[in-house]
Amino acid sequence: MKYIVSLDQGTTSSRAILINENGKLIDIKQKEFKQIFPHQGWVEHDPNEILKSQIDVFEELVSSISLSDIVSIGITNQRETTVIWDKDTGKPLYNAIVWQDKRTSSICDQMKRDELSSYVKESTGLVIDSYFSATKVKWIIDNVDGVKSKLKEDKVLFGTIDSWLIYNLTNFKNHVTDYTNASRTMMYNIKNLQWDKKILEYLDIPKSILPEVMTSSSNFGEFQYKGFSIPINGVAGDQQAALFGQACFEDGMVKNTYGTGCFLLMNTGKKFMLSKNGLITTIACSLDDNIEYALEGSVFVAGAAIQWLRDSLGIIDSASDTEKIASSIKKLDDIYVVPAFAGLGSPYWDMYSRGAIFGLTRDTDRNQIIKATLESLAYQTKDIIDVMEKDSGLNLNSLKVDGGACMNNYLMQFQSDLLGNEVIRPEIIESTAMGAGYLAGLKSSIWDKDQIIKNQKIDRTFQSQIDMEERNKMYGGWKKAVKRTFNWIEK
Ligand code: ADP
């Protein structure tokens, strides 16, 4: 038996997944690593700890197989997180600045005042935000002792986590990334596939520190391990890898990952389109330089609202309790929970909105609040799908789901009712790791796209059971509720 190993470097843990030549997930190893919070709003990781945890789980995973049976490796990673290191020694010059880190908000505000918003959107597909890598790179160059002098000697390299791992796994040989990761740096022009000169000049970032950008399914180098040379043949950022892992290969196909937040991506094919409704445009996994695009929208608080029920209100013992409770009581009559705990993301983008419960009456009870909170995940998902359809002109036919909360059957049925579309839950909800594995296996000719489609075993399909009138009434109530949370706190 031959194998593909997928390395899934996430925000809180590193994982390694063993996939056999038939596309079957055989084993998973996982190791958490430290989250570092030096100041309020700052989030860092130790790049060496990331590397070590990733190699540790790899070793654990492959201990029972022969290394010569590993055909190739795929890598998927937390996106945008920024590492700067010394070209010769491979030593990080600062901790990795994580995507969640807000320290560069003021640099972003200045970019907006300098009227760069529409330029950045046209070039990179993104809205100017501290979330993306560009301003993190600038911050390190300007604030970390010794970086500027090393830059003068051309001894500095930048990479997202994929690049950092590959540089180390290949013994400092390959400084590369893939299109999907490059498209999250806010320095990469996703139409002409070049690093953006104007943005680099504005931020004073030398082009020489940036990695070479490659197709997601190609040879990124060889992992040198115990005398073996294992090709790294697939790389993609986590959300794009999940879209690929769910075999969303055609225009209009959408996946939603229900985790702490929700991440929705719609494949829009070869068409580069900009959203008029608060979505971002990003590069999807493609097998050659013929780039495909995706529209992306995110919900800040999804599974986190379920955690709130458990940890802050203490009205459930575990997240999975919500399914039984929601199913056991009758349909809600105009009760809505809007979990705008941290403002609202796409499509509203109101940082000043705050959470609220609407429609309380004397007989509203705990279970109704639980049910309404669970339903808010589906309402927020519909908000994004509606604008995806509007922006792309494409109609959704089914929604493919993954992430922890997709195991909730009540939620999935409610989602299908609300969309009026099929909701498809795969047997393997490890879409991200499978996506990276598929990319590697494609390059190694272990399988082709048709086999990946055939490999999509469905656990359960949910069909809408309500009519349009009822759907519109429910959703109309939600829209009314959301609007009333806008601008709650003072600017
Ligand atoms: P992440 O990768 O963002 O950490 P996961 O995909 O592991 O998230 O999903 C965990 C999230 O999903 C948690 O926020 C949890 O509250 C929620 N969750 C997990 N299981 C269920 C369930 N059965 N019903 C509702 N929410 C759930």
Side-chain angles (χ1 to χ4, degrees):
M1 193 55 98
K2 298 283 181 200
Y3 300 96
I4 299 282
V5 173
S6 180
L7 303 179
D8 179 0
Q9 205 304 300
T11 307
T12 55
S13 71
S14 297
R15 306 193 311 154
I17 288 97
L18 193 65
I19 305 167
N20 75 14
E21 63 194 27
N22 303 322
K24 193 161 182 273
L25 193 161
I26 303 295
D27 198 6
I28 302 185
K29 300 290 179 210
Q30 175 164 1
K31 192 169 176 181
E32 291 193 5
F33 55 85
K34 205 165 63 233
Q35 306 293 311
I36 304 165
F37 306 107
H39 300 283
Q40 196 183 359
W42 292 30
V43 188
E44 299 179 358
H45 294 154
D46 173 352
N48 285 323
E49 194 186 349
I50 286 185
L51 178 65
K52 182 170 184 310
S53 63
Q54 197 60 76
I55 293 175
D56 285 351
V57 287
F58 173 82
E59 290 194 321
E60 231 185 291
L61 185 81
V62 302
S63 61
S64 56
I65 62 167
S66 161
L67 290 173
S68 59
D69 288 334
I70 304 173
V71 179
S72 61
I73 290 178
I75 296 179
T76 181
N77 55 289
Q78 51 167 323
R79 303 177 302 174
E80 298 104 11
T81 298
T82 297
V83 191
I84 300 268
W85 67 89
D86 182 301
K87 192 190 262 183
D88 295 338
T89 64
K91 280 214 176 80
L93 299 176
Y94 190 71
N95 272 339
I97 302 188
V98 179
W99 55 274
Q100 298 147 325
D101 191 291
K102 297 273 183 211
R103 82 185 67 180
T104 59
S105 297
S106 59
I107 306 176
C108 294
D109 290 342
Q110 187 59 47
M111 288 180 83
K112 289 178 202 160
R113 281 197 295 276
D114 290 338
E115 296 183 354
L116 283 165
S117 297
S118 53
Y119 179 82
V120 167
K121 191 165 182 197
E122 283 284 338
S123 169
T124 68
L126 307 173
V127 291
I128 295 175
D129 199 281
S130 57
Y131 193 81
F132 306 109
S133 318
T135 56
K136 301 181 195 293
V137 177
K138 179 167 182 57
W139 189 92
I140 294 177
I141 291 175
D142 290 349
N143 292 281
V144 177
D145 281 351
V147 175
K148 274 198 175 132
S149 59
K150 269 201 193 320
L151 263 178
K152 286 201 189 100
E153 300 160 28
D154 193 24
K155 295 287 183 216
V156 177
L157 296 179
F158 151 80
T160 38
I161 294 294
D162 55 313
S163 298
W164 164 248
L165 291 176
I166 296 168
Y167 195 71
N168 282 281
L169 299 180
T170 61
N171 287 340
F172 306 169
K173 197 157 163 239
N174 301 58
H175 182 221
V176 290
T177 187
D178 85 303
Y179 288 125
T180 67
N181 276 295
S183 77
R184 316 298 298 186
T185 59
M186 211 175 84
M187 295 183 267
Y188 194 66
N189 182 311
I190 64 172
K191 282 184 289 191
N192 66 20
L193 307 181
Q194 304 281 336
W195 294 107
D196 187 293
K197 240 175 148 176
K198 183 170 165 178
I199 298 174
L200 293 178
E201 268 168 26
Y202 175 88
L203 293 171
D204 217 359
I205 297 173
K207 188 162 175 268
S208 59
I209 72 170
L210 306 175
E212 181 193 341
V213 188
M214 299 170 57
T215 303
S216 298
S217 188
S218 53
N219 182 252
F220 290 82
E222 312 279 319
F223 177 22
Q224 304 301 331
Y225 182 71
K226 292 191 175 164
F228 285 86
S229 214
I230 312 169
I232 302 166
N233 276 353
V235 172
D238 52 12
Q239 298 306 324
Q240 284 97 329
L243 187 71
F244 198 81
Q246 291 259 30
C248 291
F249 299 149
E250 284 169 33
D251 302 15
M253 290 177 112
V254 183
K255 72 91 198 174
N256 188 15
T257 302
Y258 296 81
T260 310
C262 279
F263 284 95
L264 286 105
L265 267 77
M266 172 188 260
N267 184 330
T268 59
K270 307 252 182 287
K271 286 185 287 286
F272 171 84
M273 50 180 84
L274 289 176
S275 170
K276 293 191 180 67
N277 298 288
L279 304 173
I280 57 180
T281 308
T282 200
I283 298 183
C285 297
S286 27
L287 304 184
D288 50 35
D289 286 340
N290 227 340
I291 289 300
E292 300 198 8
Y293 295 98
L295 283 172
E296 175 171 329
S298 40
V299 171
F300 296 153
V301 176
I306 307 297
Q307 292 165 14
W308 169 73
L309 292 176
R310 188 193 59 197
D311 304 335
S312 302
L313 299 191
I315 56 176
I316 54 171
D317 292 326
S318 81
S320 58
D321 293 352
T322 55
E323 178 174 342
K324 218 157 115 202
I325 293 167
S327 311
S328 70
I329 61 171
K330 69 178 200 315
K331 196 174 163 308
L332 294 179
D333 193 14
D334 274 333
I335 301 175
Y336 297 91
V337 171
V338 183
F341 302 152
L344 288 163
S346 6
Y348 307 106
W349 293 109
D350 183 351
M351 297 307 116
Y352 306 100
S353 161
R354 285 297 177 269
I357 305 175
F358 293 92
L360 297 175
T361 55
R362 178 61 185 80
D363 60 351
T364 305
D365 64 17
R366 182 187 91 120
N367 288 349
Q368 288 169 319
I369 308 260
I370 292 167
K371 184 165 174 149
T373 304
L374 185 60
E375 291 179 353
S376 74
L377 276 65
Y379 283 116
Q380 295 183 92
T381 296
K382 178 164 168 66
D383 285 341
I384 291 181
I385 286 181
D386 277 9
V387 297
M388 277 180 164
E389 290 186 317
K390 221 188 274 171
D391 279 335
S392 66
L394 300 166
N395 284 325
L396 180 82
N397 36 38
S398 61
L399 177 68
K400 301 199 178 187
V401 299
D402 51 52
C406 89
M407 293 317 292
N408 190 308
N409 293 317
Y410 176 83
L411 175 62
M412 293 301 105
Q413 182 57 52
F414 187 80
Q415 186 73 77
S416 174
D417 289 343
L418 196 59
L419 294 173
N421 290 112
E422 240 177 31
V423 168
I424 301 175
R425 181 171 66 205
E427 259 177 29
I428 302 173
I429 60 168
E430 300 293 341
S431 316
T432 307
M434 291 304 287
Y438 286 148
L439 288 166
L442 279 164
K443 176 66 185 168
S444 309
S445 303
I446 287 268
W447 41 61
D448 59 22
K449 258 181 157 179
D450 287 340
Q451 282 161 297
I452 295 174
I453 293 169
K454 278 197 204 109
N455 201 35
Q456 302 289 315
K457 303 271 183 311
I458 293 175
D459 167 47
R460 192 162 160 191
T461 301
F462 299 84
Q463 309 274 0
S464 170
Q465 293 169 354
I466 66 171
D467 62 23
M468 180 94 91
E469 194 182 331
E470 194 177 349
R471 180 175 307 130
N472 288 344
K473 182 176 174 295
M474 282 156 48
Y475 190 54
W478 165 259
K479 288 294 242 190
K480 207 160 73 178
V482 169
K483 280 208 181 88
R484 291 185 184 181
T485 71
F486 289 172
N487 284 313
W488 179 255
I489 55 166
E490 299 293 327
K491 289 190 188 183

